[in-house]
Amino acid sequence: MINFPKPTVEQFFRTYMITNFSVSSDEKRLIFSANLNGKMNLWAMNLPDTYPYLFAHHDESNSFIKFDPENRYVIAGFDKDGDENHQIFAIPSEGGLPQPLITGESTEKYFFSHLSDDGKRIYYMTSEENPSFLNARVRHLEDNSDELINVGEVSPTNLAAVSDNEGAFVFLRSFANTYVTGFVKVGDETYHLTPDPDKVHVVFEPVFIDDKTIYFVTDFESEYSYIAKFDLETKEFSPVLHIENESVDSLKWDKKNNVFYLTTENGVQDDLYRYDLQSTKLDKLITPVDVIEKIQVTKSGHIYMLGRSATVPHNVFQTTNGKEWTQLTNNRVLGLSQADMVEPDVVSYTSFDGMEIEALLFKAKPENDNGHTIFWPHGGPQASERKFFRSMFQCFLNRGYTIFAPNFRGSTGYGSSFVKLVEQDWGEGPRLDCVAAIEWLFENNITDREKLFLVGGSYGGYMSLLLHGRHAEYFKAVVDIFGPSDLFTFVNSVPAHWKPIMDRWLGDPERDKERFIKDSPVTYLDGMVKPMLVIQGAKDPRVVKEESDQIVEKLKSEGREVEYLLLEDEGHGFSKKENEINVYSRMLEFLEKHQG
Ligand SMILES: CC(=O)N[C@@H](C)C(=O)N[C@@H](C)C(=O)O
């Protein structure tokens, strides 16, 4: 009777990002961080009522939310326009405007670590006086005094757990994403959590289950991360629970029931388990989403979860029995059902050296298919493309583009050795995995040789630039979203607390000069002959504006076709709805222009 047009770009971008949440100890209030009114703010629901109301108005991205155990205040972290210089603010218990609590110069960082059980002391990390390695401090809220408790040394050192009696402190020291040691400080004594800190491994998610026992996640002498324990009385390390071919990713303690809830990373999706410490029984739980972003277990043993799937945007769910989940938020794509969107196929292909690479293939529905494919190398690079909702993907799929996203070597979710393969090799192995993926798309008639686009962000932007420079013949046009363009300038421009990990992650510009030249996209300027769109946030602290400025300038001076979209009030991502819509509409316009 009434005919409605195809969904517009705007419709896909009217989903909201929920980046974090926290539940009060009495479970009467849930606060979440979302761009519901266009910018990131804190919203609350007075449970069981799920109607959200504005709780704290600050228009900035949030780094943490913590309720005072006695509900006298809430503390939260915010940065400024995506600069990632997070500072700590206090909000009245009934909500309002965040007021600065632990803040300093706009260039300094203040990361929350722990709030004491009585809500009177905040433990935090700061770049103040120690920008590379960070210091740990405690703020006494009763008299506003502030105390230094640890000076970071050797490499960035993060206070990750504090015992209930505030007598033992677990620190994590990062030498790389794949090399993070853990140690516990008790008075003047320090003990390593694993038997040999000189062996490359990671330690994360430390949890005190009492003042003498620390559980944590590690991949010490293992391909997949598992749960281990350190006993402060005997000073003994012991492995506790391995799950075959899955890496434990997070660990939450349910004191009342003496169980752990753990999530595991299993390729392109996550799993949730319940582990009973007494009986050692492990149960896999059914979850409403494929990718779990955060779990909170309350004193009563209820589980709250933030997650998403390929066709389900970020939402918060709750369960009281680990079986049935209630969806507390109703974040959805305007006017579309899950069936209107595309679930990816999980495929694998053989790369140049015989290595099997997993990938996500999102096929445009036949009624929408425009015959073109977008090749998407993910960011990180030590991250992966997973079954999570991206409004950009679903919008482009609806416009008829098929999308292919390979988890090239260096991606997470496939074991510790696989992640390390990108270290000191940003431009060879992973690039050849991308080239093999492209040939596989052609051989399997998924993609027409004349109809391939290349789009990537961050490391994916770097890979897009590099593939463009070295293999331009494959692509019709290229979109680079804040990608490093020159490894020599990139290595020196990252935040101070990343610098100590750059050697293992990327390399040393003097020692590895030849490789830096070989793997820098700017080396292949002559090959970048296809139309390009470059997108950059002016406040990006990870891949600074100069990385995009310089490639755009150089391409322009060579007379190449390049468009540049610079967002003044964004960092390493697009947090403001207006900017997000602007970016993705511009990308769509660019792709459509170059389809012919
Ligand atoms: C140190 C590190 O691994 N940082 C990544 C999370 C990161 O931000 N990488 C950038 C370059 C990206 O690809 O997103």
Side-chain angles (χ1 to χ4, degrees):
M1 193 169 62
I2 304 174
N3 289 322
F4 294 101
K6 271 183 98 161
T8 65
V9 179
E10 276 261 348
Q11 260 172 274
F12 285 91
F13 300 135
R14 290 294 164 197
T15 50
Y16 298 93
M17 265 187 292
I18 302 178
T19 57
N20 195 7
F21 77 93
S22 188
V23 184
S24 61
S25 53
D26 58 10
E27 292 177 71
K28 288 193 173 152
R29 182 174 285 155
L30 183 146
I31 297 178
F32 61 99
S33 147
N35 55 353
L36 284 186
N37 63 349
K39 292 186 178 166
M40 295 306 291
N41 281 295
L42 298 188
W43 299 80
M45 306 190 288
N46 287 347
L47 299 173
D49 181 10
T50 54
Y51 187 83
Y53 59 92
L54 187 59
F55 181 79
H57 186 254
H58 198 59
D59 281 349
E60 297 290 357
S61 295
N62 169 265
S63 55
F64 78 94
I65 306 165
K66 186 80 188 169
F67 281 92
D68 165 39
E70 292 178 22
N71 289 323
R72 293 161 294 190
Y73 60 83
V74 170
I75 50 174
F78 300 100
D79 73 350
K80 176 100 185 75
D81 287 337
D83 66 4
E84 298 183 22
N85 293 326
H86 293 281
Q87 310 217 346
I88 300 175
F89 292 73
I91 304 155
S93 67
E94 286 313 306
L97 297 178
Q99 71 175 51
L101 182 66
I102 303 176
T103 60
E105 292 293 317
S106 61
T107 48
E108 301 289 2
K109 299 173 200 298
Y110 303 83
F111 302 122
F112 172 77
S113 289
H114 178 81
L115 180 62
S116 62
D117 272 356
D118 59 6
K120 293 182 179 167
R121 287 167 299 288
I122 298 172
Y123 291 85
Y124 66 98
M125 303 299 310
T126 179
S127 59
E128 247 184 66
E129 293 169 6
N130 198 355
S132 298
F133 303 148
L134 309 175
N135 286 341
R137 306 187 65 93
V138 57
R139 172 70 55 91
H140 299 263
L141 294 179
E142 279 184 321
D143 60 6
N144 216 23
S145 60
D146 206 274
E147 208 184 316
L148 178 67
I149 58 166
N150 188 65
V151 175
E153 286 168 357
V154 187
S155 230
T157 308
N158 184 34
L159 174 60
V162 178
S163 62
D164 279 355
N165 68 2
E166 294 165 71
F169 303 87
V170 176
F171 291 91
L172 302 180
R173 181 169 285 153
S174 306
F175 300 94
N177 293 326
T178 54
Y179 189 9
V180 182
T181 59
F183 59 92
V184 53
K185 265 178 101 171
V186 186
D188 291 335
E189 303 295 329
T190 295
Y191 310 100
H192 284 285
L193 296 185
T194 47
D196 186 356
D198 292 332
K199 280 193 175 160
V200 175
H201 65 280
V202 290
V203 169
F204 57 100
E205 291 280 280
V207 177
F208 280 94
I209 67 157
D210 56 45
D211 291 334
K212 299 279 175 212
T213 319
I214 305 158
Y215 281 77
F216 56 96
V217 182
T218 183
D219 66 349
F220 183 75
E221 293 185 330
S222 168
E223 194 49 48
Y224 291 91
S225 52
Y226 57 93
I227 303 178
K229 172 176 134 175
F230 185 81
D231 186 323
L232 261 171
E233 265 167 359
T234 61
K235 316 292 181 286
E236 264 173 32
F237 161 87
S238 45
V240 174
L241 175 74
H242 281 85
I243 300 180
E244 209 184 334
N245 293 339
E246 293 181 31
S247 279
V248 178
D249 197 35
S250 73
L251 188 61
K252 296 289 173 244
W253 175 232
D254 173 358
K255 197 173 188 166
K256 181 176 162 227
N257 297 304
N258 207 29
V259 301
F260 273 112
Y261 287 97
L262 51 130
T263 61
T264 61
E265 199 177 6
N266 189 1
V268 293
Q269 64 190 71
D270 294 323
D271 287 317
L272 174 65
Y273 294 88
R274 185 179 199 269
Y275 179 64
D276 189 313
L277 219 46
Q278 207 72 49
S279 67
T280 70
K281 189 167 174 279
L282 180 72
D283 291 310
K284 189 170 180 171
L285 307 183
I286 306 281
T287 57
V289 281
D290 288 327
V291 174
I292 301 168
E293 314 271 0
K294 179 175 175 172
I295 292 273
Q296 183 180 341
V297 183
T298 57
K299 277 194 175 141
S300 64
H302 298 161
I303 313 172
Y304 291 79
M305 173 199 289
L306 171 65
R308 52 182 166 151
S309 298
T311 56
V312 180
H314 285 112
N315 275 294
V316 182
F317 304 83
Q318 190 245 32
T319 181
T320 51
N321 58 12
K323 291 189 184 108
E324 289 93 30
W325 292 85
T326 306
Q327 187 173 328
L328 299 177
T329 50
N330 201 350
N331 187 21
R332 47 166 67 203
V333 183
L334 179 63
L336 276 95
S337 70
Q338 270 183 266
D340 295 324
M341 292 181 268
V342 175
E343 266 300 322
D345 294 331
V346 183
V347 299
S348 77
Y349 64 92
T350 308
S351 192
F352 67 101
D353 57 355
M355 186 168 276
E356 279 300 293
I357 305 290
E358 194 165 71
L360 289 179
L361 170 62
F362 297 78
K363 279 195 222 132
K365 287 182 188 285
E367 65 274 24
N368 296 328
D369 197 349
N370 68 14
H372 290 79
T373 299
I374 293 173
F375 188 81
W376 169 266
H378 65 72
Q382 290 170 314
S384 57
E385 194 57 41
R386 319 198 67 217
K387 285 186 171 182
F388 47 46
F389 181 81
R390 285 184 188 270
S391 50
M392 181 184 87
F393 275 23
Q394 293 299 338
C395 173
F396 290 6
L397 283 157
N398 188 270
R399 293 287 124 173
Y401 296 94
T402 284
I403 300 172
F404 189 80
N407 281 334
F408 45 79
R409 64 197 67 201
S411 302
T412 50
Y414 305 95
S416 302
S417 307
F418 193 79
V419 191
K420 292 183 184 120
L421 294 175
V422 72
E423 290 176 351
Q424 300 189 359
D425 178 18
W426 276 38
E428 193 67 20
R431 175 179 57 84
L432 295 177
D433 289 340
C434 290
V435 169
I438 293 168
E439 289 294 342
W440 181 87
L441 285 169
F442 296 152
E443 279 158 25
N444 288 281
N445 296 321
I446 295 163
T447 300
D448 184 324
R449 279 195 181 266
E450 305 305 315
K451 293 186 173 171
L452 183 62
F453 287 106
L454 175 58
V455 181
S458 199
Y459 176 85
Y462 157 84
M463 184 51 75
S464 298
L465 291 171
L466 192 64
L467 286 168
H468 185 193
R470 301 194 65 174
H471 309 275
E473 68 281 6
Y474 285 135
F475 311 107
K476 287 193 83 67
V478 179
V479 182
D480 154 37
I481 312 167
F482 38 71
S485 60
D486 182 339
L487 296 183
F488 289 97
T489 49
F490 171 67
V491 75
N492 288 316
S493 64
V494 296
H497 67 293
W498 281 26
K499 291 207 169 141
I501 71 160
M502 291 313 279
D503 188 5
R504 194 172 271 272
W505 194 38
L506 175 58
D508 177 81
E510 279 173 32
R511 186 192 63 217
D512 303 317
K513 188 170 170 201
E514 291 311 312
R515 182 168 56 78
F516 270 45
I517 293 171
K518 178 178 75 64
D519 288 348
S520 283
V522 73
T523 304
Y524 305 98
L525 209 63
D526 286 350
M528 295 185 192
V529 291
K530 297 294 169 72
M532 277 198 66
L533 169 62
V534 177
I535 303 171
Q536 175 74 43
K539 304 288 190 309
D540 190 339
R542 302 182 186 210
V543 180
V544 298
K545 177 176 166 288
E546 287 68 27
E547 288 300 309
S548 290
D549 285 355
Q550 64 193 7
I551 196 81
V552 169
E553 229 168 82
K554 289 189 164 88
L555 286 167
K556 278 195 171 153
S557 70
E558 298 281 328
R560 308 285 164 72
E561 194 179 339
V562 55
E563 298 176 29
Y564 191 21
L565 175 58
L566 181 68
L567 296 124
E568 288 302 336
D569 54 354
E570 293 285 5
H572 202 65
F574 311 112
S575 62
K576 296 167 179 108
K577 194 44 60 186
E578 207 182 314
N579 290 336
E580 190 191 345
I581 293 176
N582 182 13
V583 165
Y584 298 135
S585 321
R586 180 79 177 265
M587 279 170 62
L588 210 51
E589 221 174 86
F590 175 81
L591 297 179
E592 280 173 11
K593 186 161 87 187
H594 294 291
Q595 266 185 25

